[in-house]
Amino acid sequence: MFNLTVDSRAKIIRAEVLLAGEREPVLVEVHGYGFLRDNAVTYLTFERLAVSREWMGRILDGVLKERRIRLPEGVGTKLLESFM
């Protein structure tokens, strides 16, 4: 990962990553993020996901239809504490 920024006021997470086999970094933006606790599981929720590669965005739209990503155990709690 080259760069990670979080704008808590605008609720935008930006990550610039260099994927294996890629020559140029990919920019991923998570707009309208939040956190959801469901029993002992924490999810990163979002309104919209933008990716600098159109084909990746289309795939992610199909995979992430519920607009949430399950966070690993322990990570979710730490993020909730940091952002709340």
Side-chain angles (χ1 to χ4, degrees), residues 33-49:
Y33 73 83
F35 297 97
L36 169 71
R37 290 276 293 170
D38 186 8
N39 295 318
V41 179
T42 304
Y43 295 91
L44 169 68
T45 62
F46 58 92
E47 295 172 8
R48 185 171 64 89
L49 188 67

Side-chain angles (χ1 to χ4, degrees), residues 63-83:
V63 172
L64 301 171
K65 289 180 184 179
E66 293 183 24
R67 302 282 185 238
R68 66 183 191 176
I69 300 169
R70 184 179 179 156
L71 298 175
E73 189 175 328
V75 171
T77 304
K78 291 186 187 304
L79 284 173
L80 281 171
E81 290 170 359
S82 298
F83 287 95

Side-chain angles (χ1 to χ4, degrees), residues 1-68:
M1 183 174 327
F2 285 127
N3 194 10
L4 175 69
T5 58
V6 178
D7 183 339
S8 58
R9 288 184 187 217
K11 296 289 186 189
I12 298 173
I13 300 171
R14 288 183 182 91
E16 192 175 9
V17 296
L18 184 60
L19 302 175
E22 293 285 324
R23 293 181 184 189
E24 297 293 323
V26 175
L27 177 63
V28 179
E29 294 182 338
V30 178
H31 295 259
Y33 73 83
F35 297 97
L36 169 71
R37 290 276 293 170
D38 186 8
N39 295 318
V41 179
T42 304
Y43 295 91
L44 169 68
T45 62
F46 58 92
E47 295 172 8
R48 185 171 64 89
L49 188 67
V51 183
S52 61
R53 302 284 197 289
E54 183 180 348
W55 65 271
M56 287 181 192
R58 289 178 188 234
I59 290 171
L60 290 173
D61 273 343
V63 172
L64 301 171
K65 289 180 184 179
E66 293 183 24
R67 302 282 185 238
R68 66 183 191 176

